[in-house]
Amino acid sequence: MKATQDYIHSHKDEMVDELIEFLKIPSVSADQKYKGDVRRAAEWVSKQLTEAGGQNVEIMETPGHPIVYGDRIIDASLPTVLVYGHYDVQPPDPMELWDSPPFEPVIKDGNIYARGACDDKGQMYMHVKAFQAMMSAGELPCNVKFVFEGEEEVGSDNLEDFLRDQQDRLRCDVVLVSDTSIIANDTPSITVGLRGLSYVEVEVTGPNRDLHSGTYGGAVANPINALCEMIASLKDDDGHITIPGFYDKVQTVSTADRKAMNDAPWDRDEYERDLDIATVAGEKGYTTLERASIRPTLDVNGMWGGYTGEGAKTVLPSKAYAKISMRLVPDQSSDEITEMFKKHFESIAPDGVRVEVKPHHGGEAAVTPTDTPEYQAAALAMEETFGRKPIPARGGGSIPIVALFESILGVKTVLMGFGLDSDNIHSPNEKYGIFNFHRGIETIPYFYHHYSKLKA
Ligand code: BES
Ligand code: MN
Ligand code: MN
């Protein structure tokens, strides 16, 4: 282990330079205009993985963006770790809110600013570098397989088939992912739960064409007004979601677990100040930490229709639209919730409008137990580098493929992320701490080390 850590220590700057090179490739998976750049990122990753010591490195085609695979099998009797990450990034919009261009990384106050710096290029690249360090030091204690995909930010649509088709090749004992956050740099944590997701788009149609809002206003249902009323009715005064059956399968969390969760360090004033809000808000009967992890949600992500240009145009629009996400918890089923939403939303349409609900991608929630060799290995690894035992914490985001690793490959996932909630992922000015990048690279070899010992 000393040789591995020495290698990391003497290559720290070089590793940052390489990450910067990676971040310059605008691998935006959602926008076809970046299709070539997404492929370029896959090629870059495959080159780095090969240089790091990866074998059987391959860019595997899918109906969408490619998957980069590589492995290093040293001894069939040793445990096998499958590392998963994504090299695609969210669109950078709104561009005007970035202090520096999203694909021209800059270092400021110990952070690298760029789209994908934390989610997930910076975090997935830590695994390539940690692997290279173990290889160079001759200290790789496990077999390792890498799966880096280019469609996580658009729902991992082709990864499920890939897992099914490649089951044999992907056989492993555990999946290791760095795509989540820690509580703070002096308070390490391991994510032990992710929420599921149901995402729908709704279209409300009133009259067959836009109308003069004076001539027709008051006499014809306005689809934007109707949509607003419908959305408003989806939650009651206590912040409970009103869709019949929505909570039926929600797993209740024990009082002890809720207490432990709320013992995590969290400062309400700081939270409110950081977001510039007068007060937090949410479902009655739950704390902010609970609202953002163990409870399901319903949020409008975007809404449009009618006239949104400069000045005033008097118009009664023909159409109104909204994109709505529901974050789910165990044991809600994404498909069932989508179906419930559709039925309910259609049933509450006021007279004079028609409603269409289109489902987008979804995914299931996941919880990972803490009494497993993999969790223990991650906890020991973090304790080695942070000098403190990490806190198990449930996260609010979603990584739908985690549930599929379990159902298809039959293995658990460890979510050992190193980002911070303040890293602005999916937002302008995304960043990743150089401290966090290096700390991740240092910690990963300890995971391999402890995991191979605990598994033996
Ligand atoms: N890395 C995030 C998920 C995440 C963020 C987990 C923060 C925990 C803490 C991932 O890249 C992501 O953004 N997932 C999407 C879901 C996907 C289906 C588009 C999400 O959560 O919105
Ligand atoms: Mn991610
Ligand atoms: Mn993301």
Side-chain angles (χ1 to χ4, degrees):
M1 188 53 74
K2 177 156 186 325
T4 299
Q5 295 298 334
D6 285 348
Y7 178 94
I8 294 168
H9 196 77
S10 58
H11 290 79
K12 280 195 158 168
D13 294 342
E14 193 181 308
M15 291 173 179
V16 171
D17 291 343
E18 289 168 19
L19 175 57
I20 285 175
E21 212 179 291
F22 189 18
L23 292 170
K24 284 183 183 168
I25 309 171
S27 49
V28 180
S29 50
D31 190 338
Q32 280 308 303
K33 126 176 148 226
Y34 295 100
K35 197 165 186 271
D37 296 304
V38 177
R39 179 163 299 270
R40 210 148 54 78
E43 282 160 2
W44 189 89
V45 170
S46 72
K47 184 177 121 256
Q48 298 306 117
L49 189 54
T50 305
E51 272 172 30
Q55 294 178 331
N56 303 307
V57 176
E58 205 178 312
I59 294 179
M60 304 189 65
E61 299 303 330
T62 77
H65 301 300
I67 292 166
V68 180
Y69 175 84
D71 59 31
R72 188 84 198 199
I73 309 299
I74 49 172
D75 179 346
S77 68
L78 289 172
T80 302
V81 176
L82 189 147
V83 173
Y84 162 83
H86 62 96
Y87 66 83
D88 65 319
V89 301
Q90 283 278 326
D93 321 64
M95 292 293 253
E96 65 280 8
L97 296 183
W98 284 79
D99 295 333
S100 55
F103 300 109
E104 292 170 33
V106 296
I107 295 177
K108 215 171 63 190
D109 304 327
N111 293 300
I112 305 180
Y113 285 83
R115 170 57 85 231
C118 173
D119 184 12
D120 179 41
K121 283 174 165 170
Q123 296 210 62
M124 66 149 270
Y125 199 54
M126 298 180 321
H127 286 273
V128 178
K129 292 289 102 177
F131 167 63
Q132 181 165 31
M134 289 183 281
M135 285 301 295
S136 304
E139 291 181 340
L140 183 69
C142 298
N143 300 309
V144 54
K145 299 179 177 179
F146 296 93
V147 172
F148 295 130
E149 74 156 317
E151 299 189 304
E152 197 276 344
E153 299 292 8
V154 288
S156 303
D157 280 346
N158 295 301
L159 196 59
E160 180 169 353
D161 280 348
F162 178 82
L163 294 191
R164 287 188 204 286
D165 294 348
Q166 303 290 331
Q167 268 184 62
D168 283 338
R169 194 202 291 231
L170 301 180
R171 209 179 297 282
C172 60
D173 296 285
V174 67
V175 177
L176 178 61
V177 180
S178 296
D179 194 20
T180 52
S181 42
I182 50 175
I183 292 174
N185 281 349
D186 58 4
T187 313
S189 57
I190 297 176
T191 303
V192 291
L194 291 164
R195 288 196 279 197
L197 182 67
S198 159
Y199 199 109
V200 295
E201 184 166 332
V202 300
E203 178 178 334
V204 179
T205 308
N208 61 2
R209 59 189 189 276
D210 285 4
L211 304 171
H212 188 284
S213 67
T215 316
Y216 289 95
V220 173
N222 179 322
I224 300 183
N225 291 30
L227 178 57
C228 290
E229 284 164 25
M230 291 163 74
I231 288 172
S233 80
L234 294 176
K235 280 189 191 174
D236 67 17
D237 290 346
D238 290 336
H240 292 299
I241 294 156
T242 56
I243 300 169
F246 187 85
Y247 292 99
D248 283 0
K249 293 199 174 162
V250 169
Q251 215 178 67
T252 47
V253 177
S254 72
T255 318
D257 282 355
R258 284 179 67 181
K259 189 181 171 311
M261 180 178 303
N262 288 299
D263 279 345
W266 181 76
D267 183 333
R268 177 170 171 170
D269 286 341
E270 197 181 306
Y271 188 88
E272 290 169 344
R273 214 175 323 111
D274 175 51
L275 300 177
D276 202 8
I277 51 175
T279 179
V280 294
E283 189 183 4
K284 196 175 166 184
Y286 295 92
T287 65
T288 298
L289 288 176
E290 291 168 344
R291 288 167 179 167
S293 63
I294 60 163
R295 297 298 294 168
T297 66
L298 185 151
D299 279 293
V300 177
N301 292 238
M303 202 168 165
W304 68 103
Y307 183 68
T308 55
E310 206 178 311
K313 177 190 177 193
T314 51
V315 60
L316 194 162
S318 161
K319 300 248 189 206
Y321 304 85
K323 290 183 194 277
I324 297 172
S325 69
M326 288 161 280
R327 296 281 171 176
L328 311 176
V329 299
D331 296 311
Q332 288 177 300
S333 138
S334 169
D335 285 346
E336 268 174 38
I337 292 291
T338 302
E339 202 40 51
M340 265 178 214
F341 177 93
K342 187 171 155 67
K343 237 168 101 190
H344 178 68
F345 209 68
E346 285 166 356
S347 80
I348 60 172
D351 290 345
V353 300
R354 279 173 288 132
V355 172
E356 202 189 326
V357 177
K358 289 180 230 163
H360 280 282
H361 53 238
E364 310 306 339
V367 280
T368 58
T370 54
D371 57 356
T372 58
E374 51 269 20
Y375 181 88
Q376 297 305 329
L380 287 169
M382 281 189 142
E383 199 176 343
E384 301 249 18
T385 53
F386 285 90
R388 280 182 77 173
K389 252 197 182 54
I391 298 171
R394 277 174 65 166
S398 310
I399 309 178
I401 203 63
V402 171
L404 296 174
F405 282 133
E406 179 151 10
S407 62
I408 300 173
L409 300 182
V411 287
K412 296 279 182 198
T413 297
V414 182
L415 298 160
M416 191 172 72
F418 293 87
L420 294 174
D421 285 347
S422 53
D423 279 340
N424 298 326
I425 67 170
H426 295 207
S427 253
N429 304 313
E430 179 175 349
K431 64 179 168 66
Y432 191 38
I434 291 174
F435 167 86
N436 302 67
F437 178 62
H438 287 145
R439 181 54 57 87
I441 299 169
E442 290 155 4
T443 308
I444 292 163
Y446 285 112
F447 171 84
Y448 283 73
H449 170 74
H450 287 293
Y451 184 66
S452 70
K453 287 214 306 201
L454 288 168
K455 269 302 247 193

